[in-house]
Amino acid sequence: MTSSSQPLDIIRIEDLRLWAHVGVLDREREHGQWFRVDLELHLDFSAAAAADSLEATADYSLAVQALQRLAAEICCQTLEHFSECMFAELEGLYGSLPMHLWLRKCDPPIHGFMGTVSLERWRRKPF
C-alpha cells in the first residue's frame, strides 16, 4: 500500500464474462445466467515498473481465475452478495487495497426490458 501522498496506479480488468447462479427467481439460481464485471485494483506501480517484477505488483490473471472459480461455485439471490464474495476473493489475493467493481446482470428477467442491471461498489476508496 502506498502513502496517502503518492498517487495510486490502476490495473483494470474490463468485460470479464462470468456464468453464475445468482438471482431472486428460482430459475435464475437453477439454470444460471451471464454477468459482466469490470474491476479496478488501485496500487502503486513504481517498484514493479523499476524492477520489472511481477512480485511487486498484482498478478491480474489470479483475479480472473479466482472470479471464474467463484462464479462456477456460487448460488445466491443478490448482486450485492455476489459482489461481496468477489471482494472477499480479491482481498484474499491482494490484501487491503482500494478496489472498485461494476457487476452487471446481462439479461435480467424483467418482461419487456432489454437492458442490463448493474451495481457499482468500492472497497477503500483512494480519494
Side-chain angles (χ1 to χ4, degrees):
M1 191 76 170
T2 64
S3 71
S4 60
S5 64
Q6 289 181 312
L8 294 175
D9 302 306
I10 299 171
I11 290 176
R12 185 173 290 124
I13 299 167
E14 297 182 63
D15 206 23
L16 174 60
R17 295 168 194 262
L18 302 171
W19 184 266
H21 296 262
V22 176
V24 173
L25 302 177
D26 290 340
R27 65 186 163 133
E28 293 178 286
R29 291 187 312 278
E30 183 179 331
H31 300 291
Q33 61 191 305
W34 285 108
F35 295 84
R36 289 183 11 224
V37 177
D38 294 335
L39 169 69
E40 293 178 346
L41 304 173
H42 295 244
L43 60 158
D44 181 2
F45 292 163
S46 58
D52 191 25
S53 171
L54 183 58
E55 291 76 29
T57 189
D59 180 347
Y60 55 82
S61 71
L62 299 177
V64 170
Q65 293 167 2
L67 296 182
Q68 288 171 328
R69 274 192 308 276
L70 172 66
E73 297 168 0
I74 197 164
C75 184
C76 66
Q77 292 186 7
T78 65
L79 293 173
E80 293 82 355
H81 183 74
F82 190 19
S83 67
E84 189 66 24
C85 292
M86 288 181 182
F87 279 135
E89 288 289 326
L90 296 167
E91 288 170 341
L93 290 170
Y94 307 117
S96 296
L97 55 87
M99 292 183 257
H100 187 196
L101 74 79
W102 296 266
L103 174 59
R104 288 178 296 288
K105 185 183 278 193
C106 296
D107 190 22
I110 303 169
H111 181 71
F113 179 68
M114 300 301 289
T116 62
V117 173
S118 67
L119 61 79
E120 180 178 5
R121 296 194 63 200
W122 280 95
R123 276 292 184 274
R124 290 170 286 288
K125 280 188 179 184
F127 46 85

